Amino acid sequence: GAVVSQHPSRVICKSGTSVKIECRSLDFQATTMFWYRQFPKQSLMLMATSNEGSKATYEQGVEKDKFLINHASLTLSTLTVTSAHPEDSSFYICSARDSFLAGRKDTQYFGPGTRLTVL
Amino acid sequence: SQKIEQNSEALNIQEGKTATLTCNYTNYSPAYLQWYRQDPGRGPVFLLLIRENEKEKRKERLKVTFDTTLKQSLFHITASQPADSATYLCALSNSGNTPLVFGKGTRLSVIA
């Protein structure tokens, strides 16, 4: 149980285009999902907290107009990187908490990640 | 400022030995601490969660301790195997609703 999927797993795009990444909790419901970014040999850096039915909360230094987050249902959050540039190339990972199962509420379950390369 | 430090960037040990990884934190009052495993190019996989009122947790060959006085957690893998080679991440949360904050990780290599 507690499976999180991400799509796509890998994407290459041209500078200036927008890219959408989907994060789904497959066997549980999540009112809260999180988006992280990881550069090579670095730790995971939290970008934003995605709340179902309301606006996302962004970490300091993360541009909300560049990284659009939508959490339209209890099982799906999307991250759109708008007008992507080469410096946005990174590994993007989402995670979700099981909002309803008492034994799992504190654990964050992670997706497999999406490798974004902007040319 | 808040900081999470994992003792070393890389750790090499011989197969069969016990690997011990350290996580120290400052300026946190974590409600719980978690350990994850991450393989190259993959997302982190949850291993163990230990709460502030717990001293020790075990799961198969894994053991985690949590000392809130020392502000330290130790993560042990006994009878280590080459398949245990990965990066291990320590993560903290101040409460059930706040997101996890991660250390940089320790890359463990178990040599046959």
Side-chain angles (χ1 to χ4, degrees):
Chain A
V3 179
V4 176
S5 71
Q6 271 183 252
H7 178 79
S9 58
R10 188 180 291 267
V11 58
I12 301 172
C13 68
K14 290 183 179 178
S15 189
T17 60
S18 294
V19 173
K20 182 188 277 190
I21 302 170
E22 289 187 352
C23 176
R24 292 180 187 273
S25 55
L26 297 185
D27 54 357
F28 65 97
Q29 293 181 322
T31 54
T32 305
M33 292 185 174
F34 306 95
W35 287 95
Y36 290 81
R37 182 166 53 180
Q38 187 176 34
F39 292 105
K41 298 196 176 180
Q42 298 289 316
S43 187
L44 282 76
M45 296 302 296
L46 179 68
M47 299 175 67
T49 300
S50 168
N51 304 297
E52 188 262 338
S54 65
K55 289 184 180 180
T57 306
Y58 290 82
E59 294 301 299
Q60 197 170 15
V62 178
E63 298 175 59
K64 62 180 181 183
D65 295 329
K66 180 166 184 63
F67 298 100
L68 300 179
I69 291 172
N70 186 290
H71 193 156
S73 77
L74 287 173
T75 59
L76 172 64
S77 175
T78 60
L79 168 70
T80 302
V81 183
T82 61
S83 187
H85 288 104
E87 58 264 32
D88 298 324
S89 298
S90 189
F91 191 51
Y92 291 85
I93 314 174
C94 73
S95 72
R97 281 202 175 109
D98 188 331
S99 304
F100 301 99
L101 192 60
R104 301 203 305 209
K105 278 184 181 178
D106 295 331
T107 300
Q108 281 180 224
Y109 298 97
F110 284 82
T114 297
R115 172 76 56 197
L116 171 64
T117 303
V118 184
L119 302 176
Chain B
S1 61
Q2 295 176 322
K3 229 189 242 187
I4 303 171
E5 288 185 347
Q6 294 191 239
N7 60 326
S8 54
E9 196 176 312
L11 179 66
N12 297 328
I13 64 163
Q14 208 69 32
E15 183 177 8
K17 302 287 186 189
T18 297
T20 298
L21 285 64
T22 306
C23 176
N24 294 293
Y25 58 92
T26 53
N27 296 324
Y28 272 106
S29 295
Y32 51 84
L33 185 149
Q34 302 188 30
W35 284 89
Y36 286 80
R37 168 183 173 140
Q38 187 176 26
D39 291 284
R42 308 299 299 271
V45 174
F46 170 71
L47 296 174
L48 280 168
L49 178 153
I50 187 164
R51 299 185 189 283
E52 58 179 335
N53 59 348
E54 298 175 318
K55 296 282 186 201
E56 184 179 295
K57 252 310 177 45
R58 289 175 187 262
K59 179 182 172 184
E60 297 170 356
R61 293 184 296 113
L62 308 180
K63 184 177 91 171
V64 171
T65 63
F66 193 10
D67 188 326
T68 54
T69 303
L70 290 179
K71 297 185 184 298
Q72 182 182 81
S73 174
L74 299 179
F75 177 77
H76 306 273
I77 306 175
T78 58
S80 59
Q81 304 164 0
D84 295 326
S85 299
T87 295
Y88 291 86
L89 302 166
C90 161
L92 303 178
S93 177
N94 285 333
S95 74
N97 291 325
T98 57
L100 289 171
V101 179
F102 284 83
K104 286 190 175 179
T106 295
R107 190 172 65 253
L108 175 68
S109 296
V110 181
I111 302 157

